[in-house]
Amino acid sequence: MQLRYQYRVYPTPGQQDLLARSFGCARVVFNDALRARQDAYAAGVTLSDTDVQKQVVTAAKKAPERVWLSEVASVVLVQACQDARRAYRNWFDSMSGKRKGRKVGAPRFRSRKDNRQAIRLTRNGCSIRPNRKLYVAKVGELKVAWSRYLPSDPSSVTIIKDAAGRYFASFVVEVDQQPLPEVDSEVGIDLGLTTFAVLSAGRVVDSPRFLRRAERTLRKAQQTLSRKEEGSNNRAKARLRVAKAHAKVADSRRNFAHQQSTVIIRDNQAVYVEDLAVSGLVRTRLAKSVHDAGWGMFTRMLEEKARRYGRAFVKIDRWFPSSQLCSACGVVDGPKPLSIREWTCPCGAVHDRDLNAAINILAAGRAERLNACGGTVSPAA
Ligand SMILES: [Zn+2]
């Protein structure tokens, strides 16, 4: 299976200039390729992938207004061209129904002001040198902070610059599955708003204090930014401070999600979560805070680790009232506002809202898994 491994890199000021040039050229080629495809489509002309590449890379390099494209590695330009092709295809297939799943929007043109600047290279344009530096064509050898062991030779690398001005190398590597010894326990997880998560066995996972502190710093930085005058120097400084605070929150969140997902996968043979795209919460005004809480990232980590370590991962993908259903008697007791943390079912059972939901998710997940295995059990809901 393929996984992404990301490391911080520290380019010298000279290398930063060269990277900036590569980011710029990749952006221009991406936009040119997108425009070429749109124009061809509007004119009813079919344009092959090779045609597009010839037009926006090979021919463009000879044009006076694009001659600077030759200053960067051509693999970067070719990959940008392919990124545009994939974005366009995904959108097209999504519209025609060929691509399943969530609708993909029309590809957006890239801008110099985007929060994330990136180039993608294949083995043609990058390699890890014996001195452990990462060689990138036309940029040089970059210093990498190897924070964890890279399990195999990468087939491609993306160099990223984020809004906080940090650089990263993101590798795609092939890793072996490493099934863990089987265990008996299974778990349903209710992702919460007041707490990070509640597990069906009763464990409450709170957001750690360092994360809450980072979030507070971010809020303050955002307030300061909103008070600065448009276009002023101070505003630019405040914006960078917000970006840095943002990056810190994102990092803390990712680390925390990694720790938690590792423990959950280690301790359980099967993990069940609600698919948030269909859960009641996301359709409400809470949508923003839901995304902020990083649930998507967390469930993706669980899914990936389950696959890697031989555990079952099931998303309950139909809507079911996990917080209205009594996990003791099965009665649906009607909707409950989020402020209600505890309720008593007519059957006499007293429920903690989130724990009850987690237990229901466990039951529904088990039923769904049995069905998928050819069993005949119907979901309790
Ligand atoms: Zn009941």
Side-chain angles (χ1 to χ4, degrees):
M1 60 185 289
Q2 289 193 323
L3 289 182
R4 268 195 180 283
Y5 276 62
Q6 187 166 298
Y7 303 89
R8 184 96 184 254
V9 295
Y10 296 91
T12 64
Q15 291 171 335
Q16 290 178 20
D17 285 345
L18 295 168
L19 278 171
R21 208 168 286 179
S22 294
F23 293 142
C25 290
R27 203 165 56 226
V28 164
V29 165
F30 180 92
N31 289 343
D32 283 352
L34 214 54
R35 208 171 288 117
R37 283 179 191 276
Q38 285 179 351
D39 290 350
Y41 180 69
V45 185
T46 43
L47 209 54
S48 77
D49 299 337
T50 338
D51 291 340
V52 176
Q53 191 173 317
K54 266 187 199 148
Q55 189 181 324
V56 303
V57 180
T58 325
K61 277 182 181 173
K62 293 184 186 111
E65 71 276 14
R66 289 276 185 273
V67 66
W68 32 264
L69 287 179
S70 311
E71 293 171 13
V72 308
S74 32
V75 56
V76 165
L77 307 179
V78 171
Q79 293 303 316
C81 196
Q82 289 193 356
D83 289 346
R85 168 181 160 232
R86 188 160 1 102
Y88 195 77
R89 279 280 154 80
N90 287 349
W91 170 62
F92 214 79
D93 290 349
S94 180
M95 272 198 313
S96 67
K98 208 168 122 189
R99 184 189 161 95
K100 303 276 175 270
R102 193 159 10 113
K103 285 279 170 224
V104 175
R108 215 172 42 86
F109 286 98
R110 289 183 182 166
S111 154
R112 196 165 48 82
K113 290 183 175 163
D114 286 348
N115 279 335
R116 182 183 181 275
Q117 302 287 335
I119 49 168
R120 212 154 54 81
L121 300 115
T122 58
R123 284 209 181 102
N124 284 331
C126 72
S127 62
I128 297 166
R129 290 284 159 89
N131 62 9
R132 305 301 288 151
K133 288 193 171 181
L134 173 66
Y135 170 76
V136 172
K138 301 259 179 132
V139 174
E141 292 183 347
L142 302 176
K143 190 177 150 209
V144 183
W146 296 104
S147 45
R148 61 173 170 158
Y149 171 72
L150 189 67
S152 70
D153 209 18
S155 56
S156 80
V157 62
T158 306
I159 308 284
I160 301 154
K161 184 186 180 197
D162 74 3
R166 302 176 306 173
Y167 294 82
F168 298 92
S170 174
F171 298 98
V172 175
V173 288
E174 190 65 41
V175 295
D176 293 331
Q177 279 167 315
Q178 307 164 318
L180 290 169
E182 279 199 31
V183 291
D184 285 333
S185 46
E186 303 192 342
V187 68
I189 305 174
D190 181 63
L191 296 165
L193 289 169
T194 45
T195 56
F196 182 76
V198 175
L199 311 187
S200 53
R203 188 159 77 85
V204 177
V205 183
D206 262 318
S207 290
R209 191 177 303 155
F210 66 82
L211 178 53
R212 292 201 299 266
R213 200 182 308 132
E215 284 169 338
R216 210 159 40 234
T217 311
L218 172 60
R219 267 198 303 279
K220 271 197 201 127
Q222 274 165 336
Q223 278 163 9
T224 314
L225 171 63
S226 68
R227 283 195 295 266
K228 299 290 182 220
E229 204 179 318
E230 202 87 46
S232 70
N233 254 341
N234 279 336
R235 192 182 171 85
K237 274 186 218 153
R239 194 182 299 115
L240 186 63
R241 220 168 293 138
V242 167
K244 282 186 175 158
H246 226 290
K248 193 154 185 207
V249 168
D251 285 356
S252 303
R253 239 178 231 156
R254 193 177 311 113
N255 289 340
F256 181 67
H258 262 304
Q259 286 163 12
Q260 294 302 323
S261 56
T262 298
V263 171
I264 289 170
I265 291 295
R266 189 193 61 203
D267 294 348
N268 294 282
Q269 192 60 32
V271 176
Y272 308 108
V273 295
E274 245 179 322
D275 185 350
L276 296 162
V278 295
S279 89
L281 280 181
V282 186
R283 276 183 260 127
T284 67
R285 221 178 314 155
L286 284 168
K288 198 181 168 329
S289 64
V290 168
H291 290 304
D292 282 352
W295 289 353
M297 177 176 65
F298 182 60
T299 51
R300 269 197 305 281
M301 282 180 187
L302 284 171
E303 189 169 10
E304 201 178 275
K305 288 177 187 176
R307 205 150 56 94
R308 185 164 186 198
Y309 297 112
R311 304 302 203 204
F313 174 86
V314 178
K315 247 190 208 171
I316 301 166
D317 59 357
R318 75 210 142 75
W319 186 80
F320 98 115
S322 59
S323 55
Q324 306 174 18
L325 183 74
C326 169
S327 59
C329 72
V331 126
V332 177
D333 195 37
K336 308 195 167 20
L338 273 170
S339 57
I340 295 189
R341 306 310 312 163
E342 208 181 80
W343 54 284
T344 309
C345 175
C347 79
V350 181
H351 293 301
D352 170 87
R353 178 200 182 91
D354 298 335
L355 179 57
N356 178 61
I359 294 169
N360 284 329
I361 290 167
L362 172 65
R366 274 189 178 144
E368 207 156 289
R369 191 170 161 217
L370 280 174
N371 276 339
C373 298
T376 51
V377 183
S378 63

